[in-house]
Amino acid sequence: MAEFVRVAGTADVKPGHGMVAEVSGKTLAVFNVDGTFHVIDNTCVHRGGPLGEGDLEGNVVACPWHGWQFNITTGECVKNPSAKVEVYQVKVEGTDIMALL
């Protein structure tokens, strides 16, 4: 059964950046876009690169390994929308970033 789980603290992710979090057996990428937090699978569908370590520009993260770009709000690859990563529902409780896992 899915439940909201703490993935990071709001102070852990600076605006315009991402981070990698290990939660409930999953490796997640957590992003801060102007104070709005997003959580997606950390693994790029191309070759498994760590999306949480990629460069974030607006709502698009570029995989640091081969440059594949993903919209962090939809999970879709910018150049191939059929290639997607999982996107998780997020809420903030106090200083905790919570994702529905």
Side-chain angles (χ1 to χ4, degrees):
M1 178 181 221
E3 63 180 326
F4 278 96
V5 179
R6 183 185 189 278
V7 295
T10 54
D12 297 334
V13 193
K14 293 178 178 57
H17 294 276
M19 66 170 281
V20 177
E22 298 281 340
V23 181
S24 300
K26 296 178 184 267
T27 305
L28 305 171
V30 184
F31 299 98
N32 179 343
V33 179
D34 299 323
T36 300
F37 296 94
H38 303 272
V39 177
I40 64 174
D41 275 340
N42 186 55
T43 306
C44 178
V45 296
H46 175 234
R47 294 271 175 113
L51 295 176
E53 297 175 15
D55 289 329
L56 183 66
E57 190 170 316
N59 286 334
V60 176
V61 63
C63 179
W65 286 6
H66 300 105
W68 279 41
Q69 296 178 318
F70 294 87
N71 182 313
I72 62 171
T73 62
T74 65
E76 294 178 349
C77 179
V78 172
K79 292 189 177 176
N80 180 4
S82 66
K84 293 179 79 166
V85 294
E86 185 79 24
V87 175
Y88 298 92
Q89 183 179 341
V90 175
K91 69 179 179 179
V92 175
E93 291 184 349
T95 59
D96 294 330
I97 303 167
M98 311 287 288
L100 187 61
L101 303 180

Coordinates of all heavy atoms in Angstrom, one line a residue:
M1 N 0.8 -1.2 0.0 CA 0.0 0.0 0.0 C 0.9 1.2 0.0 O 1.8 1.4 0.8 CB -0.9 0.0 1.2 CG -1.8 1.2 1.3 SD -2.8 1.1 2.8 CE -4.3 1.6 2.2
A2 N 0.6 2.2 -0.9 CA 1.4 3.4 -1.0 C 1.2 4.3 0.2 O 0.0 4.4 0.7 CB 1.1 4.1 -2.3
E3 N 2.2 4.9 0.7 CA 2.1 5.9 1.8 C 3.2 7.0 1.6 O 4.2 6.8 0.9 CB 2.3 5.2 3.1 CG 3.7 4.6 3.3 CD 3.8 3.9 4.7 OE1 3.2 4.4 5.7 OE2 4.5 2.9 4.7
F4 N 2.9 8.2 2.2 CA 3.9 9.2 2.1 C 5.1 8.9 3.0 O 4.9 8.6 4.2 CB 3.3 10.6 2.5 CG 2.5 11.2 1.3 CD1 1.2 11.1 1.2 CD2 3.2 12.0 0.4 CE1 0.5 11.6 0.1 CE2 2.6 12.5 -0.7 CZ 1.2 12.4 -0.8
V5 N 6.3 9.0 2.5 CA 7.5 8.7 3.2 C 8.5 9.9 3.1 O 8.6 10.5 2.0 CB 8.2 7.4 2.6 CG1 9.5 7.1 3.4 CG2 7.2 6.3 2.7
R6 N 9.2 10.2 4.2 CA 10.1 11.3 4.1 C 11.3 10.9 3.2 O 11.9 9.9 3.4 CB 10.7 11.6 5.5 CG 11.6 12.8 5.6 CD 12.2 13.0 7.0 NE 13.0 14.2 7.1 CZ 14.2 14.4 6.7 NH1 14.9 13.4 6.1 NH2 14.8 15.6 6.8
V7 N 11.6 11.8 2.3 CA 12.7 11.5 1.4 C 13.9 12.5 1.6 O 15.0 12.2 1.3 CB 12.3 11.6 -0.1 CG1 11.3 10.5 -0.4 CG2 11.7 12.9 -0.5
A8 N 13.6 13.7 2.2 CA 14.7 14.6 2.4 C 14.1 15.8 3.2 O 12.9 15.9 3.4 CB 15.3 15.2 1.1
G9 N 15.0 16.7 3.7 CA 14.6 17.9 4.4 C 14.6 19.0 3.4 O 15.4 19.0 2.4
T10 N 13.8 20.0 3.6 CA 13.7 21.1 2.6 C 15.0 21.9 2.5 O 15.4 22.4 1.5 CB 12.6 22.1 3.0 OG1 12.8 22.5 4.3 CG2 11.2 21.5 2.8
A11 N 15.8 21.9 3.6 CA 17.1 22.6 3.6 C 18.2 21.7 2.8 O 19.2 22.3 2.5 CB 17.6 22.9 5.0
D12 N 17.9 20.5 2.6 CA 18.9 19.6 1.9 C 19.0 19.8 0.4 O 20.0 19.4 -0.2 CB 18.5 18.1 2.1 CG 18.5 17.7 3.6 OD1 19.2 18.3 4.4 OD2 17.7 16.7 3.9
V13 N 18.0 20.5 -0.2 CA 18.0 20.6 -1.6 C 17.9 22.1 -1.9 O 16.8 22.7 -1.8 CB 16.8 19.9 -2.3 CG1 17.0 19.8 -3.8 CG2 16.6 18.5 -1.7
K14 N 18.9 22.7 -2.4 CA 19.0 24.1 -2.7 C 18.1 24.4 -4.0 O 18.1 23.6 -4.9 CB 20.4 24.6 -3.0 CG 21.3 24.6 -1.7 CD 22.7 25.0 -2.0 CE 23.5 25.0 -0.8 NZ 23.6 23.8 -0.1
P15 N 17.5 25.6 -4.1 CA 16.8 25.9 -5.3 C 17.6 25.8 -6.6 O 18.8 26.2 -6.6 CB 16.4 27.4 -5.1 CG 16.3 27.6 -3.6 CD 17.5 26.7 -3.1
G16 N 17.1 25.2 -7.6 CA 17.8 25.0 -8.9 C 18.7 23.8 -8.9 O 19.5 23.6 -9.8
H17 N 18.6 22.9 -7.8 CA 19.5 21.8 -7.7 C 18.7 20.5 -7.4 O 17.5 20.5 -7.1 CB 20.5 22.0 -6.6 CG 21.5 23.1 -6.9 ND1 22.6 22.9 -7.7 CD2 21.5 24.4 -6.6 CE1 23.3 24.1 -7.8 NE2 22.6 25.0 -7.2
G18 N 19.4 19.4 -7.4 CA 18.8 18.1 -7.1 C 19.8 17.3 -6.2 O 20.9 17.8 -5.9
M19 N 19.3 16.2 -5.7 CA 20.1 15.3 -4.8 C 19.5 13.9 -5.0 O 18.4 13.7 -5.5 CB 20.0 15.7 -3.4 CG 18.6 15.6 -2.8 SD 18.6 15.8 -1.0 CE 19.2 14.2 -0.4
V20 N 20.3 13.0 -4.6 CA 19.9 11.6 -4.6 C 19.6 11.1 -3.2 O 20.3 11.5 -2.2 CB 21.1 10.7 -5.1 CG1 20.7 9.2 -5.1 CG2 21.4 11.1 -6.6
A21 N 18.4 10.4 -3.1 CA 18.0 9.9 -1.8 C 17.7 8.4 -1.9 O 17.0 8.0 -2.9 CB 16.8 10.7 -1.3
E22 N 18.1 7.6 -0.9 CA 17.8 6.2 -0.8 C 16.7 6.1 0.2 O 16.8 6.4 1.4 CB 19.0 5.4 -0.4 CG 20.2 5.5 -1.3 CD 20.0 4.6 -2.5 OE1 19.2 3.6 -2.4 OE2 20.7 4.8 -3.5
V23 N 15.5 5.6 -0.3 CA 14.3 5.5 0.6 C 13.5 4.3 0.3 O 13.2 4.0 -0.9 CB 13.4 6.8 0.4 CG1 12.2 6.7 1.4 CG2 14.2 8.1 0.7
S24 N 13.2 3.5 1.3 CA 12.3 2.3 1.1 C 12.8 1.4 0.0 O 11.9 1.0 -0.8 CB 10.9 2.8 0.9 OG 10.4 3.5 2.1
G25 N 14.1 1.2 -0.1 CA 14.6 0.4 -1.2 C 14.6 1.0 -2.6 O 14.9 0.3 -3.6
K26 N 14.3 2.3 -2.7 CA 14.3 3.0 -4.0 C 15.4 4.0 -4.0 O 15.7 4.6 -2.9 CB 13.0 3.6 -4.3 CG 11.8 2.7 -4.4 CD 10.5 3.4 -4.6 CE 9.3 2.5 -4.7 NZ 9.0 2.1 -6.0
T27 N 16.0 4.3 -5.1 CA 16.9 5.4 -5.3 C 16.1 6.5 -6.1 O 15.7 6.3 -7.2 CB 18.1 4.9 -6.1 OG1 18.7 3.8 -5.4 CG2 19.2 6.1 -6.1
L28 N 16.0 7.6 -5.4 CA 15.2 8.7 -5.9 C 16.0 10.0 -6.2 O 17.0 10.2 -5.5 CB 14.1 9.1 -4.9 CG 13.2 7.9 -4.5 CD1 12.3 8.3 -3.3 CD2 12.3 7.4 -5.6
A29 N 15.5 10.8 -7.1 CA 16.1 12.1 -7.3 C 15.1 13.1 -6.8 O 13.9 13.1 -7.1 CB 16.4 12.3 -8.8
V30 N 15.6 14.0 -6.0 CA 14.8 15.1 -5.4 C 15.3 16.4 -5.9 O 16.4 16.7 -5.8 CB 14.9 15.0 -3.8 CG1 13.9 16.0 -3.2 CG2 14.6 13.6 -3.3
F31 N 14.3 17.2 -6.4 CA 14.7 18.5 -7.0 C 13.9 19.7 -6.3 O 12.8 19.5 -5.9 CB 14.4 18.5 -8.5 CG 15.1 17.5 -9.3 CD1 14.6 16.3 -9.6 CD2 16.5 17.7 -9.7 CE1 15.3 15.3 -10.3 CE2 17.2 16.8 -10.4 CZ 16.6 15.6 -10.7
N32 N 14.5 20.8 -6.4 CA 13.9 22.1 -5.8 C 13.9 23.1 -7.0 O 14.9 23.6 -7.4 CB 14.7 22.6 -4.7 CG 14.1 23.9 -4.1 OD1 13.3 24.6 -4.7 ND2 14.6 24.2 -2.9
V33 N 12.6 23.4 -7.5 CA 12.4 24.4 -8.5 C 11.7 25.6 -7.8 O 10.5 25.5 -7.6 CB 11.6 23.8 -9.7 CG1 11.4 24.9 -10.7 CG2 12.3 22.6 -10.3
D34 N 12.5 26.6 -7.5 CA 12.0 27.8 -6.9 C 11.1 27.5 -5.7 O 10.0 28.1 -5.5 CB 11.2 28.6 -7.9 CG 12.1 29.1 -9.0 OD1 13.2 29.4 -8.8 OD2 11.6 29.1 -10.2
G35 N 11.5 26.6 -4.8 CA 10.7 26.2 -3.6 C 9.7 25.2 -3.8 O 9.0 24.8 -2.8
T36 N 9.5 24.7 -5.0 CA 8.6 23.5 -5.3 C 9.4 22.3 -5.4 O 10.4 22.3 -6.2 CB 7.7 23.8 -6.5 OG1 7.0 25.0 -6.3 CG2 6.8 22.6 -6.8
F37 N 9.1 21.3 -4.7 CA 9.9 20.0 -4.7 C 9.3 19.0 -5.6 O 8.1 18.9 -5.7 CB 10.1 19.5 -3.3 CG 10.8 20.5 -2.4 CD1 10.2 21.4 -1.6 CD2 12.2 20.5 -2.4 CE1 10.9 22.3 -0.8 CE2 12.9 21.4 -1.6 CZ 12.2 22.3 -0.9
H38 N 10.2 18.2 -6.3 CA 9.8 17.2 -7.2 C 10.6 15.9 -6.9 O 11.8 16.1 -6.6 CB 10.0 17.6 -8.7 CG 9.3 18.8 -9.0 ND1 8.0 18.8 -9.5 CD2 9.7 20.1 -9.0 CE1 7.6 20.1 -9.8 NE2 8.6 20.9 -9.4
V39 N 10.0 14.8 -7.0 CA 10.7 13.5 -6.8 C 10.4 12.6 -8.0 O 9.3 12.4 -8.4 CB 10.2 12.8 -5.5 CG1 10.9 11.5 -5.3 CG2 10.5 13.8 -4.3
I40 N 11.5 12.1 -8.6 CA 11.4 11.1 -9.7 C 12.4 10.0 -9.4 O 13.2 10.0 -8.5 CB 11.7 11.8 -11.0 CG1 13.2 12.2 -11.1 CG2 10.8 12.9 -11.3 CD1 13.7 12.8 -12.5
D41 N 12.3 8.9 -10.2 CA 13.3 7.8 -10.1 C 14.6 8.4 -10.5 O 14.7 9.3 -11.4 CB 12.9 6.7 -11.1 CG 12.0 5.7 -10.5 OD1 11.9 5.6 -9.2 OD2 11.4 4.9 -11.3
N42 N 15.7 8.0 -9.8 CA 17.0 8.5 -10.0 C 17.7 7.9 -11.3 O 18.6 8.5 -11.8 CB 17.9 8.3 -8.8 CG 19.2 8.9 -8.9 OD1 19.3 10.1 -9.1 ND2 20.3 8.1 -8.8
T43 N 17.2 6.8 -11.7 CA 17.9 6.1 -12.8 C 17.4 6.4 -14.2 O 16.2 6.3 -14.6 CB 17.6 4.5 -12.6 OG1 18.0 4.2 -11.3 CG2 18.5 3.7 -13.6
C44 N 18.3 7.0 -15.0 CA 18.0 7.3 -16.4 C 17.7 6.1 -17.2 O 18.4 5.1 -17.0 CB 19.2 8.1 -17.0 SG 19.0 8.5 -18.7
V45 N 16.7 6.1 -18.0 CA 16.2 4.9 -18.8 C 17.2 4.6 -19.9 O 17.1 3.5 -20.5 CB 14.8 5.1 -19.3 CG1 13.8 5.2 -18.2 CG2 14.7 6.3 -20.2
H46 N 18.1 5.5 -20.2 CA 19.1 5.3 -21.3 C 20.2 4.3 -20.9 O 20.2 3.2 -21.4 CB 19.7 6.6 -21.8 CG 20.8 6.5 -22.8 ND1 22.0 7.0 -22.6 CD2 20.8 5.8 -24.0 CE1 22.8 6.7 -23.7 NE2 22.0 6.0 -24.5
R47 N 21.0 4.7 -19.9 CA 22.1 3.8 -19.5 C 22.2 3.8 -18.0 O 23.3 3.4 -17.4 CB 23.4 4.2 -20.1 CG 23.5 4.1 -21.6 CD 24.0 2.7 -21.9 NE 24.0 2.5 -23.4 CZ 25.1 2.3 -24.1 NH1 26.2 2.4 -23.6 NH2 24.9 2.1 -25.4
G48 N 21.2 4.2 -17.2 CA 21.2 4.1 -15.8 C 21.9 5.2 -15.0 O 22.2 5.0 -13.9
G49 N 22.1 6.3 -15.7 CA 22.8 7.4 -15.0 C 22.0 8.0 -13.9 O 20.8 7.9 -13.8
P50 N 22.7 8.7 -12.9 CA 22.0 9.2 -11.7 C 21.4 10.6 -12.0 O 22.1 11.6 -11.9 CB 23.2 9.3 -10.7 CG 24.4 9.5 -11.6 CD 24.1 8.8 -12.9
L51 N 20.1 10.7 -12.2 CA 19.5 11.9 -12.6 C 19.6 13.0 -11.5 O 19.7 14.2 -11.8 CB 18.0 11.7 -12.9 CG 17.8 10.8 -14.2 CD1 16.3 10.6 -14.4 CD2 18.4 11.5 -15.4
G52 N 19.6 12.6 -10.2 CA 19.7 13.5 -9.1 C 21.0 14.3 -9.1 O 21.2 15.3 -8.4
E53 N 22.0 13.8 -9.9 CA 23.3 14.5 -10.0 C 23.4 15.3 -11.2 O 24.4 15.9 -11.5 CB 24.5 13.4 -10.0 CG 24.5 12.6 -8.7 CD 25.6 11.5 -8.7 OE1 26.4 11.5 -9.6 OE2 25.5 10.7 -7.8
G54 N 22.3 15.3 -12.0 CA 22.3 16.1 -13.3 C 22.1 17.5 -13.1 O 21.7 18.0 -12.0
D55 N 22.3 18.3 -14.2 CA 22.1 19.7 -14.2 C 20.6 20.0 -14.4 O 20.0 19.4 -15.3 CB 22.9 20.4 -15.3 CG 24.4 20.4 -15.0 OD1 24.8 20.5 -13.8 OD2 25.2 20.4 -15.9
L56 N 20.1 20.9 -13.6 CA 18.6 21.2 -13.6 C 18.5 22.6 -14.2 O 19.1 23.6 -13.8 CB 18.0 21.2 -12.2 CG 16.6 21.5 -12.1 CD1 15.7 20.3 -12.8 CD2 16.2 21.6 -10.6
E57 N 17.7 22.7 -15.3 CA 17.4 24.0 -15.9 C 15.8 24.1 -16.0 O 15.2 23.4 -16.8 CB 18.0 24.1 -17.3 CG 17.9 25.5 -17.8 CD 18.8 25.7 -19.1 OE1 19.9 25.3 -19.1 OE2 18.2 26.3 -20.0
G58 N 15.2 24.9 -15.1 CA 13.8 25.0 -15.1 C 13.3 23.7 -14.6 O 13.7 23.2 -13.5
N59 N 12.4 23.1 -15.3 CA 11.8 21.8 -15.0 C 12.5 20.6 -15.7 O 11.9 19.5 -15.7 CB 10.3 21.7 -15.3 CG 9.5 22.6 -14.3 OD1 9.9 22.8 -13.1 ND2 8.4 23.0 -14.7
V60 N 13.6 20.8 -16.3 CA 14.3 19.8 -17.1 C 15.7 19.5 -16.4 O 16.5 20.3 -16.2 CB 14.5 20.2 -18.5 CG1 15.3 19.2 -19.3 CG2 13.1 20.5 -19.2
V61 N 15.9 18.2 -16.2 CA 17.2 17.7 -15.7 C 17.9 16.9 -16.8 O 17.3 16.2 -17.6 CB 17.0 16.8 -14.5 CG1 16.3 15.5 -14.8 CG2 18.4 16.5 -13.9
A62 N 19.2 17.2 -16.9 CA 20.0 16.5 -17.9 C 20.8 15.4 -17.2 O 21.5 15.7 -16.2 CB 20.9 17.4 -18.7
C63 N 20.7 14.2 -17.7 CA 21.5 13.1 -17.1 C 23.0 13.4 -17.2 O 23.5 13.8 -18.3 CB 21.2 11.8 -17.8 SG 22.2 10.4 -17.2
P64 N 23.8 13.3 -16.2 CA 25.2 13.6 -16.2 C 26.0 12.7 -17.1 O 27.2 13.0 -17.4 CB 25.6 13.6 -14.8 CG 24.7 12.7 -14.1 CD 23.4 12.8 -14.8
W65 N 25.5 11.5 -17.4 CA 26.3 10.5 -18.2 C 26.2 10.8 -19.7 O 27.3 10.8 -20.4 CB 25.9 9.1 -17.9 CG 26.3 8.6 -16.5 CD1 26.9 9.3 -15.6 CD2 26.1 7.3 -16.0 NE1 27.1 8.5 -14.5 CE2 26.7 7.3 -14.7 CE3 25.5 6.1 -16.6 CZ2 26.6 6.1 -13.9 CZ3 25.5 5.0 -15.8 CH2 26.1 5.0 -14.5
H66 N 25.1 10.9 -20.2 CA 24.9 11.1 -21.7 C 24.0 12.2 -22.2 O 23.7 12.3 -23.3 CB 24.4 9.8 -22.3 CG 25.3 8.6 -22.1 ND1 25.1 7.6 -21.1 CD2 26.6 8.3 -22.6 CE1 26.1 6.8 -21.1 NE2 27.0 7.1 -21.9
G67 N 23.6 13.0 -21.2 CA 22.8 14.2 -21.6 C 21.3 14.1 -21.9 O 20.7 15.0 -22.3
W68 N 20.8 12.9 -21.7 CA 19.4 12.7 -21.9 C 18.6 13.6 -21.0 O 19.0 13.7 -19.8 CB 18.9 11.3 -21.7 CG 19.2 10.4 -22.9 CD1 20.3 10.3 -23.6 CD2 18.3 9.4 -23.3 NE1 20.2 9.4 -24.6 CE2 19.0 8.7 -24.4 CE3 17.1 8.9 -23.0 CZ2 18.4 7.7 -25.1 CZ3 16.5 7.8 -23.7 CH2 17.1 7.3 -24.8
Q69 N 17.6 14.3 -21.5 CA 16.9 15.3 -20.7 C 15.5 14.8 -20.3 O 14.8 14.3 -21.2 CB 16.8 16.6 -21.4 CG 18.2 17.3 -21.7 CD 18.0 18.6 -22.4 OE1 17.3 18.7 -23.4 NE2 18.8 19.6 -22.0
F70 N 15.1 15.1 -19.1 CA 13.8 14.6 -18.6 C 13.0 15.8 -17.9 O 13.6 16.5 -17.2 CB 13.9 13.5 -17.6 CG 14.4 12.2 -18.2 CD1 15.8 12.0 -18.3 CD2 13.6 11.3 -18.8 CE1 16.3 10.9 -18.9 CE2 14.1 10.1 -19.4 CZ 15.5 9.9 -19.4
N71 N 11.7 15.9 -18.2 CA 10.9 16.9 -17.6 C 10.6 16.3 -16.2 O 10.0 15.2 -16.1 CB 9.6 17.1 -18.4 CG 8.7 18.2 -17.7 OD1 8.5 18.1 -16.5 ND2 8.3 19.1 -18.5
I72 N 11.0 17.0 -15.1 CA 10.8 16.4 -13.8 C 9.3 16.4 -13.3 O 9.0 15.8 -12.3 CB 11.7 17.0 -12.7 CG1 11.4 18.5 -12.6 CG2 13.2 16.7 -13.1 CD1 12.2 19.2 -11.4
T73 N 8.5 17.1 -14.0 CA 7.0 17.2 -13.6 C 6.2 16.0 -14.3 O 5.2 15.6 -13.7 CB 6.4 18.5 -14.0 OG1 6.4 18.7 -15.4 CG2 7.1 19.7 -13.2
T74 N 6.7 15.6 -15.4 CA 6.0 14.5 -16.2 C 6.8 13.2 -16.2 O 6.2 12.2 -16.5 CB 5.7 14.9 -17.6 OG1 6.9 15.1 -18.3 CG2 4.9 16.2 -17.6
G75 N 8.1 13.3 -16.1 CA 8.9 12.1 -16.2 C 9.3 11.8 -17.6 O 10.1 10.9 -17.9
E76 N 8.8 12.6 -18.6 CA 9.0 12.3 -20.0 C 10.4 12.8 -20.5 O 10.8 13.9 -20.1 CB 8.0 12.9 -20.9 CG 6.6 12.4 -20.7 CD 5.5 13.1 -21.5 OE1 5.8 14.1 -22.1 OE2 4.4 12.5 -21.6
C77 N 11.0 12.0 -21.3 CA 12.2 12.4 -22.0 C 11.9 13.5 -23.0 O 10.9 13.4 -23.7 CB 12.9 11.2 -22.7 SG 14.4 11.6 -23.6
V78 N 12.7 14.6 -23.0 CA 12.4 15.7 -23.9 C 12.3 15.3 -25.3 O 11.4 15.7 -26.1 CB 13.4 16.9 -23.6 CG1 13.2 18.0 -24.6 CG2 13.2 17.4 -22.2
K79 N 13.3 14.5 -25.8 CA 13.3 14.2 -27.2 C 12.6 12.9 -27.6 O 12.3 12.6 -28.8 CB 14.8 14.0 -27.7 CG 15.5 15.4 -27.6 CD 16.9 15.3 -28.3 CE 17.5 16.7 -28.3 NZ 18.8 16.7 -28.8
N80 N 12.2 12.1 -26.6 CA 11.5 10.9 -26.8 C 10.5 10.7 -25.7 O 10.7 9.9 -24.7 CB 12.4 9.7 -26.9 CG 11.7 8.4 -27.2 OD1 10.5 8.3 -27.4 ND2 12.5 7.3 -27.1
P81 N 9.3 11.3 -25.8 CA 8.3 11.2 -24.7 C 7.9 9.8 -24.3 O 7.3 9.6 -23.2 CB 7.1 12.0 -25.2 CG 7.7 12.9 -26.2 CD 8.8 12.2 -26.8
S82 N 8.1 8.8 -25.1 CA 7.7 7.5 -24.7 C 8.7 6.9 -23.7 O 8.4 5.9 -23.0 CB 7.6 6.6 -25.9 OG 8.9 6.4 -26.6
A83 N 9.9 7.5 -23.6 CA 10.9 7.1 -22.6 C 10.6 7.9 -21.4 O 10.7 9.1 -21.4 CB 12.3 7.3 -23.1
K84 N 10.2 7.3 -20.3 CA 9.8 8.0 -19.1 C 10.4 7.4 -17.8 O 10.7 6.2 -17.8 CB 8.3 7.9 -18.9 CG 7.5 8.6 -20.0 CD 6.0 8.5 -19.7 CE 5.5 9.4 -18.7 NZ 4.1 9.6 -18.6
V85 N 10.6 8.2 -16.8 CA 10.9 7.8 -15.5 C 9.7 8.0 -14.6 O 8.9 8.9 -14.9 CB 12.2 8.5 -14.9 CG1 13.4 8.2 -15.7 CG2 12.0 10.0 -14.9
E86 N 9.6 7.3 -13.5 CA 8.5 7.4 -12.6 C 8.6 8.8 -11.9 O 9.6 9.2 -11.5 CB 8.6 6.3 -11.5 CG 7.5 6.2 -10.6 CD 6.2 5.6 -11.2 OE1 6.4 4.8 -12.1 OE2 5.1 5.9 -10.7
V87 N 7.4 9.4 -11.7 CA 7.2 10.6 -11.0 C 6.4 10.3 -9.8 O 5.4 9.6 -9.9 CB 6.5 11.7 -11.9 CG1 6.3 13.0 -11.1 CG2 7.4 12.0 -13.1
Y88 N 6.8 10.9 -8.6 CA 6.1 10.6 -7.4 C 5.4 11.9 -6.9 O 5.9 13.0 -7.0 CB 7.1 10.1 -6.3 CG 7.7 8.8 -6.7 CD1 8.9 8.8 -7.4 CD2 7.1 7.6 -6.4 CE1 9.5 7.6 -7.8 CE2 7.7 6.4 -6.8 CZ 8.9 6.4 -7.5 OH 9.5 5.2 -7.9
Q89 N 4.2 11.7 -6.3 CA 3.4 12.8 -5.7 C 4.2 13.2 -4.5 O 4.7 12.4 -3.7 CB 2.0 12.3 -5.3 CG 1.2 13.4 -4.8 CD -0.2 12.8 -4.4 OE1 -0.7 11.8 -4.9 NE2 -0.9 13.6 -3.6
V90 N 4.3 14.5 -4.3 CA 5.1 15.1 -3.2 C 4.2 16.1 -2.4 O 3.4 16.8 -2.9 CB 6.3 15.9 -3.8 CG1 7.1 16.7 -2.8 CG2 7.2 15.0 -4.6
K91 N 4.5 16.1 -1.1 CA 4.0 17.1 -0.2 C 5.0 17.5 0.8 O 6.0 16.7 1.0 CB 2.7 16.6 0.5 CG 2.9 15.5 1.5 CD 1.6 15.2 2.1 CE 1.7 14.0 3.2 NZ 0.4 13.7 3.8
V92 N 4.9 18.7 1.3 CA 5.9 19.2 2.3 C 5.2 19.3 3.6 O 4.1 19.9 3.7 CB 6.5 20.5 1.9 CG1 7.4 21.1 3.0 CG2 7.3 20.4 0.6
E93 N 5.7 18.7 4.6 CA 5.2 18.7 6.0 C 6.2 19.3 6.9 O 7.3 18.7 7.2 CB 4.8 17.4 6.5 CG 3.6 16.7 5.8 CD 3.2 15.4 6.4 OE1 3.9 14.8 7.2 OE2 2.1 14.9 6.0
G94 N 6.0 20.6 7.3 CA 7.1 21.3 8.0 C 8.3 21.5 7.2 O 8.3 22.1 6.1
T95 N 9.4 20.8 7.6 CA 10.7 20.9 6.9 C 11.0 19.5 6.2 O 12.1 19.3 5.7 CB 11.8 21.3 7.8 OG1 11.9 20.3 8.8 CG2 11.6 22.7 8.4
D96 N 10.0 18.7 6.1 CA 10.1 17.3 5.5 C 9.5 17.3 4.1 O 8.4 17.7 3.9 CB 9.5 16.2 6.4 CG 10.2 16.0 7.7 OD1 11.4 16.3 7.8 OD2 9.5 15.6 8.6
I97 N 10.3 16.8 3.2 CA 9.8 16.5 1.8 C 9.3 15.1 1.8 O 10.1 14.2 2.1 CB 10.9 16.7 0.7 CG1 11.5 18.1 0.8 CG2 10.3 16.4 -0.6 CD1 12.8 18.3 0.0
M98 N 8.0 14.9 1.5 CA 7.4 13.6 1.6 C 7.0 13.2 0.2 O 6.5 14.0 -0.6 CB 6.2 13.6 2.5 CG 6.4 14.3 3.9 SD 7.3 13.3 5.0 CE 6.1 12.0 5.4
A99 N 7.2 11.9 -0.1 CA 6.8 11.4 -1.5 C 5.9 10.2 -1.2 O 6.1 9.4 -0.3 CB 8.0 11.0 -2.3
L100 N 4.9 10.0 -2.1 CA 4.0 8.9 -2.1 C 4.7 7.7 -2.7 O 4.9 7.7 -3.9 CB 2.7 9.2 -2.7 CG 1.6 8.2 -2.6 CD1 1.2 8.0 -1.2 CD2 0.4 8.7 -3.5
L101 N 5.1 6.7 -1.9 CA 5.8 5.5 -2.4 C 5.0 4.3 -2.2 O 4.3 4.2 -1.3 CB 7.2 5.4 -1.8 CG 8.1 6.5 -1.8 CD1 9.4 6.2 -1.1 CD2 8.4 6.9 -3.3

